[in-house]
Amino acid sequence: MSRRRREPHHPGTVFLVDKPTGPTSHDVVRDIRRWTGLRRVGHGGTLDPLASGLLPIFVGAATRLNEYLAPYRKHYEATVRLGQSTATDDSEGEVIASAPVPALTQAQIDAALDQFRGEIEQVPPQYSAVKRDGVAAYRSARAGEPVEIEARAVTVHELAVVDASADQVKLTMSVSTGTYVRAIARDLGDALGCGAHVVEMRRTRIGQVFANDAHSLDELHAAAERGEIWSLAVSPADLFPDWPRFLLEGEQLERIKRGQQIRHAPVDGCDRALAVTPEQHVAAVLRRDELSAATWQPEKVLARGA
């Protein structure tokens, strides 16, 4: 029996992808695997096939940083069609109900949205990756099985109407991880008494990283064809601009690689930091010791020892 060859260690990098409508997030991961020749690749937050916009792709050891994106706000633009409800809460699903759209002013729509601002309880869409009894809800929904999904707490930090016509509303929002834009559209339709679903959606920003700084799949493909794919990568540290960076080398760096604590000057208001090598690779995530502000303990080590 042959064993799969172990993949060489890669210190970790990130590709900022401007995902088009159509491909799934996993499709993008598959493409990056093919273009880089590496298997250890993951994305930083699912985008529906209907959605476009910023999709960070972690490669190599950087995949271990994925979870740290969760606290950052996600920003979206969405166009909502009023008067129709669909099985998926977007335009890719079957229309399951229709109703006349009342004459509404932008102010009335904005007032209806007020109940969805702040900390709210939101029921994810029937067609979502939320797991019920270990099975993704969308799998049960596709099989025609009844899906009961419990509401969960999310935070809608900002939610605004930027334009409204007879049957369409354009929204901008910033939300916590786990918030479904499709559910906001669905619930707005219910509040207005006519049903609604998303017809366009774009993620414009995560934290301080913008979709305008990302590369299209065509750009990445062309760079891969030229053998220049790595020139479009960025440091994982760029995703966490509010974290201090400690440039480490010598004995301090070796201690970090062994999972041992180091001494470093504290940074006011920060209990986490990134240990960065002279080559600008992220060696570890550090957490400040609760008892000693100048002592930092590796929370997650990315660098491999000599």
Side-chain angles (χ1 to χ4, degrees):
M1 181 181 295
S2 62
R3 293 184 178 179
R4 177 181 294 179
R5 182 178 298 177
R6 188 173 183 180
E7 183 170 286
H9 176 74
H10 188 282
T13 194
V14 172
F15 292 97
L16 302 178
V17 179
D18 188 348
K19 189 189 89 66
T21 58
T24 66
S25 297
H26 184 71
D27 290 337
V28 177
V29 168
R30 181 199 60 206
D31 288 340
I32 296 297
R33 283 175 175 158
R34 186 172 71 251
W35 295 334
T36 61
L38 297 175
R39 296 293 305 167
R40 197 175 180 189
V41 177
H43 62 73
T46 301
L47 279 178
D48 295 334
L50 175 77
S52 66
L54 179 61
L55 182 66
I57 300 293
F58 295 81
V59 176
T63 55
R64 304 192 65 208
L65 299 174
N66 195 329
E67 65 183 88
Y68 295 105
L69 270 187
Y72 290 90
R73 297 183 185 183
K74 280 67 176 175
H75 298 250
Y76 296 90
E77 298 173 348
T79 300
V80 177
R81 165 79 186 276
L82 303 177
Q84 291 182 338
S85 300
T86 71
T88 58
D89 299 323
D90 62 24
S91 57
E92 295 194 329
E94 177 187 1
V95 175
I96 56 176
S98 298
V101 180
L104 298 165
T105 65
Q106 188 165 317
Q108 288 173 318
I109 298 171
D110 188 71
L113 287 171
D114 197 51
Q115 61 190 293
F116 309 122
R117 296 184 175 108
E119 296 182 5
I120 64 172
E121 293 288 316
Q122 184 186 73
V123 178
Q126 296 280 298
Y127 285 79
S128 66
V130 173
K131 290 190 175 180
R132 186 178 63 89
D133 297 329
V135 179
Y138 71 85
R139 294 188 183 277
S140 298
R142 286 174 181 170
E145 301 172 1
V147 181
E148 294 183 9
I149 306 176
E150 294 184 359
R152 57 185 184 178
V154 299
T155 303
V156 179
H157 300 281
E158 299 173 3
L159 179 59
V161 180
V162 295
D163 192 22
S165 61
D167 64 351
Q168 286 198 343
V169 179
K170 292 187 177 180
L171 304 173
T172 60
M173 64 191 78
S174 70
V175 300
S176 66
T177 295
T179 304
Y180 280 88
V181 176
R182 287 181 288 144
I184 291 176
R186 176 201 65 206
D187 294 343
L188 172 62
D190 290 344
L192 296 175
C194 59
H197 64 273
V198 171
V199 293
E200 291 182 357
M201 181 169 64
R202 179 169 176 79
R203 184 155 63 197
T204 58
R205 178 178 161 194
I206 298 177
Q208 296 302 312
V209 182
F210 293 79
N212 289 343
D213 298 322
H215 297 281
S216 69
L217 289 180
D218 287 343
E219 289 174 319
L220 289 159
H221 187 196
E225 290 289 302
R226 298 192 304 269
E228 299 173 356
I229 185 69
W230 299 109
S231 68
L232 301 185
V234 300
S235 169
D238 292 351
L239 297 181
F240 312 99
D242 52 326
W243 290 16
R245 303 184 193 186
F246 298 164
L247 179 61
L248 303 182
E249 52 189 333
E251 179 56 27
Q252 277 198 316
L253 180 57
E254 292 306 313
R255 287 184 62 85
I256 289 298
K257 291 180 180 180
R258 294 193 294 266
Q260 298 172 336
Q261 64 186 27
I262 62 169
R263 300 281 294 175
H264 196 286
V267 179
D268 289 342
C270 296
D271 61 1
R272 277 200 180 99
L274 294 174
V276 180
T277 71
E279 296 79 24
Q280 296 303 304
H281 298 309
V282 174
V285 175
L286 306 178
R287 178 175 283 278
R288 188 175 62 182
D289 189 273
E290 294 181 358
L291 301 179
S292 174
T295 300
W296 297 80
Q297 179 70 37
E299 181 175 88
K300 189 164 290 191
V301 178
L302 279 66
R304 187 170 283 180

